[in-house]
Amino acid sequence: MSKSKTTFFCRSCGFESPKWIGKCPGCNQWNTFSEELKPSKSVTAWKKSGRKIAEPKPIQSIETAEVQRLQLSDDELNLILGGGLVPGAMVLLGGEPGIGKSTLLLQVALRTPIKTLYVSGEESDTQIKLRAERLGIHTDQCNILTETLLENILDAVEREMPELLIVDSIQTLYSEQLEATPGSISQIRECTGKLLQFAKENDVPVFLIGHITKDGSIAGPKILEHMVDTVLQFEGDRHHAYRIVRTLKNRFGGTQELGIYEMNGNGLNAVKNPSEIWLAQREEVLSGIGVAVVLEGVRPLLLETQALVSTAVYGTPQRSATGFDLRRLNMLLAVLEKRCGFRLGQQDVFVNLAGGMRLEDPALDLSLCAAIMSSFYNQPLPTKCVFSAEIGLSGEVRAVQRVEQRIAEAQKLGFEEIIVSKYNKIQSGNHSGIKVHTFARIEEVFSWLFG
Ligand code: TYD
Ligand code: MG
């Protein structure tokens, strides 16, 4: 195929140049040029070509036939997509290498009883087959294509007309119309654009797998995230079995849902009862452990927060937080020091969230503070007690969202007491099996806990 005309544009100011230049003469920025296909026709020529132009119409006159969503084999995915996959939707799944992106989508391809095409630019046929055998092949309608040239992929896709297309990964594809290397901004943009066009014209849903960069964002232009309808993020620690799929953007549903999976020998399995997995894997009562009720999306979860306080050997005490924001830990320590009079300045403090979880729910605060104090005094916290409250800078115990749901989850898992903020509006009488203690200040919580 002959090469089409390409041109270079400055991503910052739009300056056009026939060849690549390092510094843009328009805005004086460096390295902002990327290669793009030259539009084949001018806009006026396109108008003259007689193509139908959309007319404005009253909103009441637009018909909304209920879209039939495609149900995937994976209920967690259906849930986070907002009740199944919308025809023609393009979903981007991002995540670190080795987290299980290929596994998850191959599993979908192998288990959903519709015609799917799994395009892989990363692995060979045999590698995919070996993996498929581990996962279990439940359909004879899954086709595999190992190819990275976009034009060949589009040919195959148009010939096969699958009902679901999966592309692993968008960064490996390239179009022969551009000279840029696969994974470059212009290639990613071009390939996504063409696949999107295919998806919309044929109402075929497309899953794209995307790599992420070191700082955790999806590699490639931000525009990739704007182009697709849904962005899912696969999170978790490669060394732990539990994985979370979260929606960052969804044009066809909310972004609060999340799916929790466990990776084991036969692929990723949905975790039905997530709270149980993060709880006590120990027999005796230990100090330095507090259980928090946090919200992940809209789901309440119970999670063990662990702390270790020990005398600092060297001058500056160490502070370390795994799964929790270190700056927030420093803030909590300062609050404990100022409001509760604990001298933590001479102590090393380490905190950790169980199971390799990484969370930001402020409701973790109280549980972490309690774990820290429990380790400091070497006195275990009551075993059947959970915490769910934010701590403010002046030591106030602040209300958290959806407290009723959190209390209900704690009760379901057999906890007998929960500590929340006095400012949470709680319908008394709703919670008969669990005792709800409310406090306004952190000092009060500690005098109740440690006497
Ligand atoms: P993979 O899905 O290839 O991750 P990604 O596409 O995000 O890079 O790999 C997932 C990891 O999970 C891999 O290291 C092997 C492991 N794994 C299992 O533990 N069990 C399984 O059944 C499969 C297929 C993979
Ligand atoms: Mg992969």
Side-chain angles (χ1 to χ4, degrees), residues 138-179:
H138 300 276
T139 160
D140 52 2
Q141 300 196 75
C142 170
N143 291 322
I144 305 289
L145 173 70
T146 46
E147 176 63 80
T148 52
L149 181 62
L150 177 74
E151 283 74 18
N152 289 353
I153 294 172
L154 289 175
D155 278 350
V157 167
E158 267 156 26
R159 222 172 30 239
E160 295 273 322
M161 235 355 125
E163 288 168 85
L164 172 66
L165 174 66
I166 297 170
V167 177
D168 183 5
S169 66
I170 187 68
Q171 279 89 359
T172 54
L173 302 196
Y174 73 101
S175 160
E176 62 185 358
Q177 312 225 330
L178 296 176
E179 271 167 27

mmCIF file of all heavy atoms in Angstrom, residues 138-179:
data_model
loop_
_atom_site.group_PDB
_atom_site.id
_atom_site.type_symbol
_atom_site.label_atom_id
_atom_site.label_comp_id
_atom_site.label_asym_id
_atom_site.label_seq_id
_atom_site.Cartn_x
_atom_site.Cartn_y
_atom_site.Cartn_z
ATOM 1 N N HIS A 138 -14.607 -22.610 27.005
ATOM 2 C CA HIS A 138 -16.018 -22.965 27.133
ATOM 3 C C HIS A 138 -16.828 -22.606 25.892
ATOM 4 O O HIS A 138 -18.044 -22.593 25.938
ATOM 5 C CB HIS A 138 -16.626 -22.265 28.350
ATOM 6 C CG HIS A 138 -15.960 -22.629 29.629
ATOM 7 N ND1 HIS A 138 -16.286 -23.752 30.334
ATOM 8 C CD2 HIS A 138 -14.946 -22.041 30.311
ATOM 9 C CE1 HIS A 138 -15.527 -23.843 31.402
ATOM 10 N NE2 HIS A 138 -14.700 -22.812 31.411
ATOM 11 N N THR A 139 -16.188 -22.198 24.831
ATOM 12 C CA THR A 139 -16.941 -21.818 23.639
ATOM 13 C C THR A 139 -16.113 -22.176 22.410
ATOM 14 O O THR A 139 -14.898 -22.276 22.476
ATOM 15 C CB THR A 139 -17.259 -20.304 23.642
ATOM 16 O OG1 THR A 139 -17.567 -19.901 22.312
ATOM 17 C CG2 THR A 139 -16.097 -19.471 24.112
ATOM 18 N N ASP A 140 -16.799 -22.414 21.295
ATOM 19 C CA ASP A 140 -16.036 -22.654 20.072
ATOM 20 C C ASP A 140 -16.106 -21.425 19.165
ATOM 21 O O ASP A 140 -15.859 -21.499 17.983
ATOM 22 C CB ASP A 140 -16.543 -23.913 19.356
ATOM 23 C CG ASP A 140 -18.050 -23.845 19.164
ATOM 24 O OD1 ASP A 140 -18.650 -22.820 19.543
ATOM 25 O OD2 ASP A 140 -18.620 -24.823 18.641
ATOM 26 N N GLN A 141 -16.480 -20.305 19.756
ATOM 27 C CA GLN A 141 -16.648 -19.112 18.931
ATOM 28 C C GLN A 141 -15.574 -18.059 19.174
ATOM 29 O O GLN A 141 -15.743 -16.907 18.840
ATOM 30 C CB GLN A 141 -18.014 -18.486 19.203
ATOM 31 C CG GLN A 141 -19.146 -19.426 18.889
ATOM 32 C CD GLN A 141 -20.430 -18.639 18.809
ATOM 33 O OE1 GLN A 141 -20.698 -17.931 17.846
ATOM 34 N NE2 GLN A 141 -21.228 -18.735 19.844
ATOM 35 N N CYS A 142 -14.477 -18.500 19.795
ATOM 36 C CA CYS A 142 -13.426 -17.530 20.091
ATOM 37 C C CYS A 142 -12.295 -17.677 19.076
ATOM 38 O O CYS A 142 -11.680 -18.731 18.975
ATOM 39 C CB CYS A 142 -12.930 -17.777 21.511
ATOM 40 S SG CYS A 142 -11.461 -16.863 21.893
ATOM 41 N N ASN A 143 -12.060 -16.632 18.316
ATOM 42 C CA ASN A 143 -10.976 -16.662 17.345
ATOM 43 C C ASN A 143 -9.804 -15.821 17.824
ATOM 44 O O ASN A 143 -10.004 -14.782 18.448
ATOM 45 C CB ASN A 143 -11.455 -16.112 16.001
ATOM 46 C CG ASN A 143 -12.433 -17.044 15.342
ATOM 47 O OD1 ASN A 143 -12.275 -18.262 15.405
ATOM 48 N ND2 ASN A 143 -13.466 -16.482 14.742
ATOM 49 N N ILE A 144 -8.607 -16.302 17.501
ATOM 50 C CA ILE A 144 -7.396 -15.596 17.925
ATOM 51 C C ILE A 144 -6.677 -15.081 16.686
ATOM 52 O O ILE A 144 -6.554 -15.797 15.687
ATOM 53 C CB ILE A 144 -6.443 -16.555 18.674
ATOM 54 C CG1 ILE A 144 -7.150 -17.241 19.848
ATOM 55 C CG2 ILE A 144 -5.180 -15.844 19.131
ATOM 56 C CD1 ILE A 144 -7.456 -16.363 21.021
ATOM 57 N N LEU A 145 -6.214 -13.852 16.757
ATOM 58 C CA LEU A 145 -5.426 -13.305 15.662
ATOM 59 C C LEU A 145 -4.182 -12.673 16.261
ATOM 60 O O LEU A 145 -4.280 -11.823 17.142
ATOM 61 C CB LEU A 145 -6.258 -12.244 14.921
ATOM 62 C CG LEU A 145 -5.537 -11.429 13.841
ATOM 63 C CD1 LEU A 145 -5.223 -12.298 12.636
ATOM 64 C CD2 LEU A 145 -6.381 -10.235 13.412
ATOM 65 N N THR A 146 -3.014 -13.127 15.835
ATOM 66 C CA THR A 146 -1.808 -12.479 16.335
ATOM 67 C C THR A 146 -1.261 -11.593 15.229
ATOM 68 O O THR A 146 -0.730 -12.084 14.225
ATOM 69 C CB THR A 146 -0.744 -13.503 16.785
ATOM 70 O OG1 THR A 146 -0.640 -14.487 15.778
ATOM 71 C CG2 THR A 146 -1.119 -14.150 18.078
ATOM 72 N N GLU A 147 -1.425 -10.332 15.392
ATOM 73 C CA GLU A 147 -1.103 -9.358 14.346
ATOM 74 C C GLU A 147 -0.938 -7.997 14.994
ATOM 75 O O GLU A 147 -1.586 -7.688 16.001
ATOM 76 C CB GLU A 147 -2.277 -9.342 13.341
ATOM 77 C CG GLU A 147 -2.193 -8.336 12.228
ATOM 78 C CD GLU A 147 -1.014 -8.559 11.287
ATOM 79 O OE1 GLU A 147 -1.127 -9.424 10.404
ATOM 80 O OE2 GLU A 147 0.001 -7.884 11.454
ATOM 81 N N THR A 148 -0.061 -7.181 14.416
ATOM 82 C CA THR A 148 0.084 -5.836 14.970
ATOM 83 C C THR A 148 -0.190 -4.743 13.937
ATOM 84 O O THR A 148 -0.286 -3.580 14.295
ATOM 85 C CB THR A 148 1.503 -5.610 15.539
ATOM 86 O OG1 THR A 148 2.434 -5.956 14.530
ATOM 87 C CG2 THR A 148 1.760 -6.412 16.780
ATOM 88 N N LEU A 149 -0.298 -5.134 12.673
ATOM 89 C CA LEU A 149 -0.550 -4.117 11.650
ATOM 90 C C LEU A 149 -2.039 -3.793 11.590
ATOM 91 O O LEU A 149 -2.862 -4.672 11.323
ATOM 92 C CB LEU A 149 -0.030 -4.615 10.292
ATOM 93 C CG LEU A 149 -0.219 -3.629 9.134
ATOM 94 C CD1 LEU A 149 0.549 -2.348 9.387
ATOM 95 C CD2 LEU A 149 0.225 -4.257 7.824
ATOM 96 N N LEU A 150 -2.350 -2.567 11.846
ATOM 97 C CA LEU A 150 -3.753 -2.150 11.950
ATOM 98 C C LEU A 150 -4.570 -2.504 10.709
ATOM 99 O O LEU A 150 -5.690 -3.004 10.815
ATOM 100 C CB LEU A 150 -3.813 -0.636 12.204
ATOM 101 C CG LEU A 150 -5.222 -0.055 12.262
ATOM 102 C CD1 LEU A 150 -5.909 -0.440 13.556
ATOM 103 C CD2 LEU A 150 -5.202 1.454 12.118
ATOM 104 N N GLU A 151 -4.012 -2.262 9.532
ATOM 105 C CA GLU A 151 -4.773 -2.497 8.296
ATOM 106 C C GLU A 151 -5.145 -3.979 8.177
ATOM 107 O O GLU A 151 -6.271 -4.306 7.798
ATOM 108 C CB GLU A 151 -3.966 -2.038 7.070
ATOM 109 C CG GLU A 151 -3.944 -0.518 6.871
ATOM 110 C CD GLU A 151 -3.044 0.248 7.847
ATOM 111 O OE1 GLU A 151 -2.158 -0.388 8.469
ATOM 112 O OE2 GLU A 151 -3.231 1.468 8.006
ATOM 113 N N ASN A 152 -4.214 -4.863 8.535
ATOM 114 C CA ASN A 152 -4.524 -6.297 8.487
ATOM 115 C C ASN A 152 -5.591 -6.665 9.511
ATOM 116 O O ASN A 152 -6.466 -7.494 9.251
ATOM 117 C CB ASN A 152 -3.268 -7.127 8.768
ATOM 118 C CG ASN A 152 -2.289 -7.053 7.611
ATOM 119 O OD1 ASN A 152 -2.607 -6.490 6.564
ATOM 120 N ND2 ASN A 152 -1.106 -7.595 7.803
ATOM 121 N N ILE A 153 -5.501 -6.038 10.659
ATOM 122 C CA ILE A 153 -6.487 -6.329 11.708
ATOM 123 C C ILE A 153 -7.873 -5.895 11.233
ATOM 124 O O ILE A 153 -8.849 -6.637 11.342
ATOM 125 C CB ILE A 153 -6.118 -5.616 13.021
ATOM 126 C CG1 ILE A 153 -4.821 -6.214 13.572
ATOM 127 C CG2 ILE A 153 -7.235 -5.730 14.047
ATOM 128 C CD1 ILE A 153 -4.251 -5.480 14.751
ATOM 129 N N LEU A 154 -7.937 -4.700 10.652
ATOM 130 C CA LEU A 154 -9.240 -4.211 10.199
ATOM 131 C C LEU A 154 -9.808 -5.100 9.094
ATOM 132 O O LEU A 154 -11.011 -5.366 9.064
ATOM 133 C CB LEU A 154 -9.126 -2.755 9.728
ATOM 134 C CG LEU A 154 -8.915 -1.730 10.853
ATOM 135 C CD1 LEU A 154 -8.689 -0.351 10.286
ATOM 136 C CD2 LEU A 154 -10.089 -1.720 11.830
ATOM 137 N N ASP A 155 -8.934 -5.573 8.206
ATOM 138 C CA ASP A 155 -9.388 -6.502 7.157
ATOM 139 C C ASP A 155 -10.015 -7.732 7.784
ATOM 140 O O ASP A 155 -11.117 -8.145 7.431
ATOM 141 C CB ASP A 155 -8.197 -6.966 6.302
ATOM 142 C CG ASP A 155 -7.857 -5.925 5.243
ATOM 143 O OD1 ASP A 155 -8.671 -4.985 5.085
ATOM 144 O OD2 ASP A 155 -6.796 -6.045 4.609
ATOM 145 N N ALA A 156 -9.271 -8.313 8.748
ATOM 146 C CA ALA A 156 -9.750 -9.542 9.386
ATOM 147 C C ALA A 156 -11.051 -9.282 10.128
ATOM 148 O O ALA A 156 -11.991 -10.083 10.074
ATOM 149 C CB ALA A 156 -8.696 -10.062 10.348
ATOM 150 N N VAL A 157 -11.133 -8.158 10.797
ATOM 151 C CA VAL A 157 -12.307 -7.837 11.588
ATOM 152 C C VAL A 157 -13.522 -7.669 10.679
ATOM 153 O O VAL A 157 -14.613 -8.145 10.974
ATOM 154 C CB VAL A 157 -12.044 -6.554 12.410
ATOM 155 C CG1 VAL A 157 -13.326 -6.013 12.981
ATOM 156 C CG2 VAL A 157 -11.063 -6.831 13.522
ATOM 157 N N GLU A 158 -13.311 -7.007 9.538
ATOM 158 C CA GLU A 158 -14.443 -6.806 8.648
ATOM 159 C C GLU A 158 -14.895 -8.110 7.990
ATOM 160 O O GLU A 158 -16.074 -8.312 7.730
ATOM 161 C CB GLU A 158 -14.105 -5.733 7.608
ATOM 162 C CG GLU A 158 -14.575 -4.381 8.128
ATOM 163 C CD GLU A 158 -13.850 -3.197 7.554
ATOM 164 O OE1 GLU A 158 -13.322 -3.312 6.425
ATOM 165 O OE2 GLU A 158 -13.806 -2.162 8.237
ATOM 166 N N ARG A 159 -13.946 -8.995 7.773
ATOM 167 C CA ARG A 159 -14.277 -10.299 7.201
ATOM 168 C C ARG A 159 -15.041 -11.156 8.214
ATOM 169 O O ARG A 159 -16.066 -11.738 7.924
ATOM 170 C CB ARG A 159 -12.970 -10.991 6.828
ATOM 171 C CG ARG A 159 -12.992 -11.693 5.512
ATOM 172 C CD ARG A 159 -11.609 -12.206 5.113
ATOM 173 N NE ARG A 159 -10.724 -12.565 6.202
ATOM 174 C CZ ARG A 159 -9.523 -12.003 6.402
ATOM 175 N NH1 ARG A 159 -9.088 -11.041 5.623
ATOM 176 N NH2 ARG A 159 -8.748 -12.393 7.403
ATOM 177 N N GLU A 160 -14.507 -11.183 9.431
ATOM 178 C CA GLU A 160 -15.077 -12.054 10.468
ATOM 179 C C GLU A 160 -16.355 -11.491 11.074
ATOM 180 O O GLU A 160 -17.207 -12.242 11.513
ATOM 181 C CB GLU A 160 -14.067 -12.227 11.602
ATOM 182 C CG GLU A 160 -12.797 -12.946 11.201
ATOM 183 C CD GLU A 160 -12.963 -14.436 11.330
ATOM 184 O OE1 GLU A 160 -13.625 -14.859 12.286
ATOM 185 O OE2 GLU A 160 -12.448 -15.161 10.469
ATOM 186 N N MET A 161 -16.432 -10.167 11.173
ATOM 187 C CA MET A 161 -17.520 -9.479 11.863
ATOM 188 C C MET A 161 -17.850 -10.129 13.214
ATOM 189 O O MET A 161 -18.909 -10.734 13.410
ATOM 190 C CB MET A 161 -18.756 -9.476 10.974
ATOM 191 C CG MET A 161 -19.379 -8.121 10.682
ATOM 192 S SD MET A 161 -18.713 -6.698 11.488
ATOM 193 C CE MET A 161 -18.367 -5.684 10.076
ATOM 194 N N PRO A 162 -16.922 -10.022 14.151
ATOM 195 C CA PRO A 162 -17.194 -10.615 15.471
ATOM 196 C C PRO A 162 -18.256 -9.801 16.218
ATOM 197 O O PRO A 162 -18.539 -8.667 15.841
ATOM 198 C CB PRO A 162 -15.846 -10.492 16.184
ATOM 199 C CG PRO A 162 -15.199 -9.305 15.556
ATOM 200 C CD PRO A 162 -15.658 -9.274 14.133
ATOM 201 N N GLU A 163 -18.805 -10.414 17.249
ATOM 202 C CA GLU A 163 -19.770 -9.660 18.069
ATOM 203 C C GLU A 163 -19.054 -8.929 19.206
ATOM 204 O O GLU A 163 -19.627 -8.088 19.878
ATOM 205 C CB GLU A 163 -20.809 -10.616 18.655
ATOM 206 C CG GLU A 163 -21.779 -11.141 17.611
ATOM 207 C CD GLU A 163 -22.604 -12.290 18.146
ATOM 208 O OE1 GLU A 163 -23.635 -12.018 18.785
ATOM 209 O OE2 GLU A 163 -22.211 -13.457 17.937
ATOM 210 N N LEU A 164 -17.803 -9.323 19.430
ATOM 211 C CA LEU A 164 -16.991 -8.648 20.442
ATOM 212 C C LEU A 164 -15.542 -8.688 19.977
ATOM 213 O O LEU A 164 -15.041 -9.737 19.562
ATOM 214 C CB LEU A 164 -17.135 -9.369 21.792
ATOM 215 C CG LEU A 164 -16.219 -8.908 22.923
ATOM 216 C CD1 LEU A 164 -16.535 -7.493 23.349
ATOM 217 C CD2 LEU A 164 -16.356 -9.827 24.135
ATOM 218 N N LEU A 165 -14.894 -7.543 20.032
ATOM 219 C CA LEU A 165 -13.497 -7.473 19.609
ATOM 220 C C LEU A 165 -12.628 -7.086 20.798
ATOM 221 O O LEU A 165 -12.957 -6.154 21.534
ATOM 222 C CB LEU A 165 -13.362 -6.433 18.488
ATOM 223 C CG LEU A 165 -11.950 -6.116 18.005
ATOM 224 C CD1 LEU A 165 -11.320 -7.322 17.332
ATOM 225 C CD2 LEU A 165 -11.953 -4.939 17.036
ATOM 226 N N ILE A 166 -11.533 -7.825 20.974
ATOM 227 C CA ILE A 166 -10.614 -7.514 22.076
ATOM 228 C C ILE A 166 -9.242 -7.256 21.473
ATOM 229 O O ILE A 166 -8.772 -8.052 20.648
ATOM 230 C CB ILE A 166 -10.557 -8.694 23.071
ATOM 231 C CG1 ILE A 166 -11.942 -8.905 23.686
ATOM 232 C CG2 ILE A 166 -9.523 -8.435 24.159
ATOM 233 C CD1 ILE A 166 -12.078 -10.166 24.496
ATOM 234 N N VAL A 167 -8.613 -6.168 21.838
ATOM 235 C CA VAL A 167 -7.299 -5.838 21.284
ATOM 236 C C VAL A 167 -6.287 -5.755 22.424
ATOM 237 O O VAL A 167 -6.425 -4.943 23.329
ATOM 238 C CB VAL A 167 -7.345 -4.495 20.521
ATOM 239 C CG1 VAL A 167 -5.959 -4.137 20.013
ATOM 240 C CG2 VAL A 167 -8.319 -4.563 19.362
ATOM 241 N N ASP A 168 -5.271 -6.592 22.355
ATOM 242 C CA ASP A 168 -4.248 -6.671 23.406
ATOM 243 C C ASP A 168 -2.893 -6.398 22.757
ATOM 244 O O ASP A 168 -2.345 -7.253 22.095
ATOM 245 C CB ASP A 168 -4.298 -8.070 24.030
ATOM 246 C CG ASP A 168 -3.327 -8.229 25.179
ATOM 247 O OD1 ASP A 168 -2.691 -7.241 25.551
ATOM 248 O OD2 ASP A 168 -3.202 -9.362 25.685
ATOM 249 N N SER A 169 -2.275 -5.318 22.831
ATOM 250 C CA SER A 169 -2.684 -4.083 23.471
ATOM 251 C C SER A 169 -2.611 -2.956 22.453
ATOM 252 O O SER A 169 -1.964 -3.124 21.425
ATOM 253 C CB SER A 169 -1.694 -3.767 24.602
ATOM 254 O OG SER A 169 -0.427 -3.498 24.018
ATOM 255 N N ILE A 170 -3.217 -1.840 22.757
ATOM 256 C CA ILE A 170 -3.262 -0.746 21.802
ATOM 257 C C ILE A 170 -1.855 -0.207 21.512
ATOM 258 O O ILE A 170 -1.560 0.245 20.411
ATOM 259 C CB ILE A 170 -4.241 0.364 22.287
ATOM 260 C CG1 ILE A 170 -4.441 1.453 21.233
ATOM 261 C CG2 ILE A 170 -3.835 0.978 23.609
ATOM 262 C CD1 ILE A 170 -5.171 1.017 20.009
ATOM 263 N N GLN A 171 -0.959 -0.330 22.479
ATOM 264 C CA GLN A 171 0.406 0.183 22.271
ATOM 265 C C GLN A 171 1.247 -0.653 21.301
ATOM 266 O O GLN A 171 2.288 -0.203 20.858
ATOM 267 C CB GLN A 171 1.159 0.286 23.596
ATOM 268 C CG GLN A 171 0.828 1.534 24.386
ATOM 269 C CD GLN A 171 -0.357 1.323 25.298
ATOM 270 O OE1 GLN A 171 -0.948 0.248 25.337
ATOM 271 N NE2 GLN A 171 -0.727 2.346 26.029
ATOM 272 N N THR A 172 0.793 -1.875 21.001
ATOM 273 C CA THR A 172 1.599 -2.678 20.072
ATOM 274 C C THR A 172 1.151 -2.485 18.623
ATOM 275 O O THR A 172 1.834 -2.941 17.709
ATOM 276 C CB THR A 172 1.493 -4.186 20.386
ATOM 277 O OG1 THR A 172 0.117 -4.533 20.397
ATOM 278 C CG2 THR A 172 2.123 -4.527 21.714
ATOM 279 N N LEU A 173 0.007 -1.870 18.404
ATOM 280 C CA LEU A 173 -0.492 -1.728 17.034
ATOM 281 C C LEU A 173 0.203 -0.596 16.298
ATOM 282 O O LEU A 173 0.662 0.360 16.902
ATOM 283 C CB LEU A 173 -1.995 -1.425 17.029
ATOM 284 C CG LEU A 173 -2.935 -2.401 17.696
ATOM 285 C CD1 LEU A 173 -4.357 -2.122 17.252
ATOM 286 C CD2 LEU A 173 -2.567 -3.840 17.399
ATOM 287 N N TYR A 174 0.273 -0.733 14.970
ATOM 288 C CA TYR A 174 0.769 0.388 14.181
ATOM 289 C C TYR A 174 0.079 0.402 12.836
ATOM 290 O O TYR A 174 -0.383 -0.627 12.342
ATOM 291 C CB TYR A 174 2.292 0.313 14.018
ATOM 292 C CG TYR A 174 2.766 -0.763 13.083
ATOM 293 C CD1 TYR A 174 3.149 -0.446 11.776
ATOM 294 C CD2 TYR A 174 2.815 -2.087 13.495
ATOM 295 C CE1 TYR A 174 3.571 -1.447 10.913
ATOM 296 C CE2 TYR A 174 3.240 -3.078 12.637
ATOM 297 C CZ TYR A 174 3.608 -2.753 11.340
ATOM 298 O OH TYR A 174 4.007 -3.730 10.494
ATOM 299 N N SER A 175 -0.018 1.582 12.267
ATOM 300 C CA SER A 175 -0.613 1.726 10.951
ATOM 301 C C SER A 175 0.519 1.997 9.973
ATOM 302 O O SER A 175 1.425 2.772 10.277
ATOM 303 C CB SER A 175 -1.591 2.893 10.976
ATOM 304 O OG SER A 175 -1.819 3.334 9.660
ATOM 305 N N GLU A 176 0.437 1.360 8.821
ATOM 306 C CA GLU A 176 1.532 1.565 7.871
ATOM 307 C C GLU A 176 1.476 2.941 7.229
ATOM 308 O O GLU A 176 2.377 3.334 6.510
ATOM 309 C CB GLU A 176 1.535 0.463 6.816
ATOM 310 C CG GLU A 176 0.266 0.430 5.985
ATOM 311 C CD GLU A 176 0.231 -0.741 5.028
ATOM 312 O OE1 GLU A 176 1.213 -1.499 4.991
ATOM 313 O OE2 GLU A 176 -0.776 -0.886 4.332
ATOM 314 N N GLN A 177 0.414 3.660 7.504
ATOM 315 C CA GLN A 177 0.312 4.996 6.929
ATOM 316 C C GLN A 177 1.158 6.015 7.651
ATOM 317 O O GLN A 177 1.365 7.112 7.174
ATOM 318 C CB GLN A 177 -1.149 5.438 6.974
ATOM 319 C CG GLN A 177 -2.063 4.372 6.457
ATOM 320 C CD GLN A 177 -3.093 4.920 5.525
ATOM 321 O OE1 GLN A 177 -3.501 6.048 5.651
ATOM 322 N NE2 GLN A 177 -3.493 4.117 4.567
ATOM 323 N N LEU A 178 1.605 5.645 8.838
ATOM 324 C CA LEU A 178 2.434 6.576 9.607
ATOM 325 C C LEU A 178 3.815 5.970 9.776
ATOM 326 O O LEU A 178 3.954 4.753 9.870
ATOM 327 C CB LEU A 178 1.835 6.807 10.995
ATOM 328 C CG LEU A 178 0.469 7.475 11.088
ATOM 329 C CD1 LEU A 178 0.022 7.508 12.535
ATOM 330 C CD2 LEU A 178 0.509 8.884 10.532
ATOM 331 N N GLU A 179 4.805 6.833 9.833
ATOM 332 C CA GLU A 179 6.155 6.298 10.000
ATOM 333 C C GLU A 179 6.531 6.121 11.466
ATOM 334 O O GLU A 179 7.505 5.457 11.778
ATOM 335 C CB GLU A 179 7.162 7.224 9.317
ATOM 336 C CG GLU A 179 7.361 6.819 7.867
ATOM 337 C CD GLU A 179 8.079 7.870 7.066
ATOM 338 O OE1 GLU A 179 8.850 8.638 7.669
ATOM 339 O OE2 GLU A 179 7.850 7.924 5.855
#
